[in-house]
Amino acid sequence: MGLNHEEIRALAQQLDDAARHARPIPMLSLSSPLSLKDAYLIQRAAILLRAQRDERLVGMKMGLTSRAKMQQVGVHSPIYGHLTHAMRLMDGGTLQRADHCHPRVEPELAFLLKRDLRGPVSPAEALLAVEGVCAALEVIDSRYQDFKFTLPDVVADNASSSRFVLGSVVQSPAAFDISNLGMIMERNGVTAEIGSSAAIFDHPARSLAALANLLSEVGESLKAGQIVLAGGATAAIHLHPGDHVRLLVDGLGSAELRVA
Ligand code: 0L1
Ligand code: MG
């Protein structure tokens, strides 16, 4: 039997407190048996807590969509999380290290949707709902001690999502091939990671379709105007005060952030 409503709410509160106070907690699965279904219910309950603080839902993220990412954290299944307006940093903006447990950043692409998108869809059908694609950075910050988790733990923790940055160059995927774009992530002017958009689920559109299809299993869909982070193209790198991280993507300019 799964967790009851009260247990779900209490676990969501633990994760929310850990995020707000930047104080990592032991994995939830150490103290309660956690199914994937309960984990997504905890994730949604934690997003409701954010909504009660007037955080607006602005999109979704896919996580663990590349082999490099799966190997880095030892979890081998794509997952999704929610993005709120408070998680957005403007391009070139500053992230406060003290507000995070152990932040890392990874290079991504983001989709900007012009239409609702409901699964089941193919990657080609999913792209028809996309207005534009841009370079993006995602800051992930596991709320668990030592950045260690099982699959249900990381799902409950909103797929580790913490902040995101969107670049300002937007291309329509109808006219711009996003299948194999070179991506370079620099830290303090030095190349830290090199990858390709092809590493994102073999094609970023596959990631978008997979998200729509996963959501359709629980009767949900993506909405026009939403942002979708497609997933990291390389492993994530640690962030430290003083860092300046810049992502360069072929044909899509850059996205950057600083750490204070
Ligand atoms: O966005 C991601 O691929 C991260 C998903 C969760 C795993 C992690 O914290 O790296
Ligand atoms: Mg990511």
Side-chain angles (χ1 to χ4, degrees), residues 166-182:
L166 302 183
S168 52
V169 175
V170 177
Q171 298 267 16
S172 164
F176 179 73
D177 182 1
I178 59 168
S179 62
N180 187 14
L181 303 174

Side-chain angles (χ1 to χ4, degrees), residues 62-66 68-69 106-108 138 199-201 230-235:
M62 278 293 267
L64 303 179
T65 51
S66 69
K69 284 287 316 179
E106 56 193 28
E108 305 215 4
E138 185 188 22
I200 306 171
F201 228 152
T234 71

Side-chain angles (χ1 to χ4, degrees), residues 218-230:
V218 288
E220 294 184 10
S221 57
L222 293 162
K223 303 283 181 264
Q226 284 190 329
I227 298 158
V228 174
L229 295 182

Side-chain angles (χ1 to χ4, degrees), residues 18 78 85 139 163 196 233:
H85 85 280
V139 176
R163 298 283 188 280
S196 158

Side-chain angles (χ1 to χ4, degrees), residues 36-103:
L36 199 54
K37 185 168 172 228
D38 282 343
Y40 275 112
L41 290 175
I42 294 167
Q43 182 188 125
R44 283 176 171 81
I47 291 298
L48 268 182
L49 293 174
R50 287 176 175 263
Q52 285 163 10
R53 296 194 294 272
D54 293 329
E55 288 192 36
R56 278 178 289 107
L57 185 68
V58 295
M60 306 287 295
K61 67 161 281 186
M62 278 293 267
L64 303 179
T65 51
S66 69
R67 268 178 279 279
K69 284 287 316 179
M70 289 181 187
Q71 271 162 14
Q72 185 173 37
V73 297
V75 173
H76 295 264
S77 174
I79 57 177
Y80 62 85
H82 293 72
L83 304 175
T84 72
H85 85 280
M87 294 164 68
R88 182 165 181 181
L89 271 182
M90 296 318 284
D91 193 13
T94 301
L95 174 138
Q96 301 297 324
R97 170 66 183 83
D99 292 345
H100 295 75
C101 300
H102 25 218

